[in-house]
Amino acid sequence: MSNTPMAANPLTRAVLEIDEYASGLGWDQPARLFALVDTARLRAQEPGLAAQLGLRDEPGTTGLTPIEQEEIPAGKPLDEFLGTIAWPDAVAGCALTVERLMLPPSAEASVPEGLSEKKLTQWVAQHPDRQEVRMTVAVLRDGTRDSALRLREKDSPTEVLTGGALVPGLAEALSATFED
């Protein structure tokens, strides 16, 4: 039984469910990609898969069911990988969970100019105000977005920040996986 709180909408519930799953795996994990499918449609069209996912015995369950996809290839930049994805019509949306280092906005003024991506990554990793964060971002075909952010130093279900505009760049990249 999930400890995911009953959020206001199915996308937020799916994001929090994925965040809870990722949290159970611990930190220092690779990025994970999920297809989001309509739960009622899944039960009706794929009863065997629904049974494997434990959804057959929950006929009242509606919303979105996250289905983890194959592992993202190691060493391939995330933006390049996302550019190779095309979803079948049965997929209502997708989600990605990824860990990153972040700096507070106050640190932006001190970023040295002209750094390569590699040097910038090293600079951020050594910054005293850096924070490790796990981001779970989800989008639907219609453009609806939601995300969850969890700081490693505040790794608690009650400390998860949610909102549709928290990680706009990643949401845009995920939305592009639904374009023709």
Side-chain angles (χ1 to χ4, degrees):
M1 185 70 156
S2 171
N3 292 322
T4 302
M6 288 306 293
N9 68 63
L11 187 58
T12 303
R13 285 193 302 273
V15 164
L16 290 172
E17 183 179 333
I18 293 167
D19 173 74
E20 178 185 356
Y21 167 75
S23 176
L25 298 172
W27 286 87
D28 304 318
Q29 296 291 316
R32 296 176 187 281
L33 181 67
F34 299 82
L36 299 175
V37 296
D38 179 271
T39 304
R41 183 175 176 186
L42 176 66
R43 264 197 317 274
Q45 295 179 352
E46 299 287 342
L49 179 57
Q52 284 181 330
L53 296 173
L55 300 172
R56 186 176 58 186
D57 298 330
E58 301 178 31
T61 303
T62 60
L64 298 165
T65 298
I67 301 174
E68 188 170 3
Q69 303 301 291
E70 291 183 24
E71 197 169 298
I72 295 173
K76 186 164 192 167
L78 194 54
D79 57 342
E80 286 180 23
F81 171 73
L82 291 175
T84 66
I85 296 174
W87 297 103
D89 291 340
V91 174
C94 66
L96 181 79
T97 184
V98 64
E99 297 175 15
R100 290 291 185 258
L101 291 177
M102 293 182 70
L103 293 176
S106 60
E108 286 183 29
S110 64
V111 176
E113 290 188 33
L115 292 179
S116 68
E117 189 172 330
K118 183 178 180 180
K119 292 283 187 188
L120 180 60
T121 300
Q122 291 172 342
W123 184 84
V124 170
Q126 296 170 354
H127 196 283
D129 295 330
R130 74 185 177 282
Q131 296 208 14
E132 292 178 74
V133 63
R134 181 182 302 116
M135 302 176 283
T136 302
V137 179
V139 299
L140 296 178
R141 283 185 185 273
D142 68 6
T144 305
R145 304 169 175 192
D146 211 338
S147 12
L149 296 179
R150 182 187 290 246
L151 295 174
R152 189 172 192 157
E153 72 177 29
K154 295 183 178 183
D155 192 1
S156 163
T158 61
E159 296 287 337
V160 176
L161 180 64
T162 59
L166 296 176
V167 192
L170 188 51
E172 285 295 324
L174 289 173
S175 290
T177 65
F178 290 102
E179 296 173 3
D180 292 330

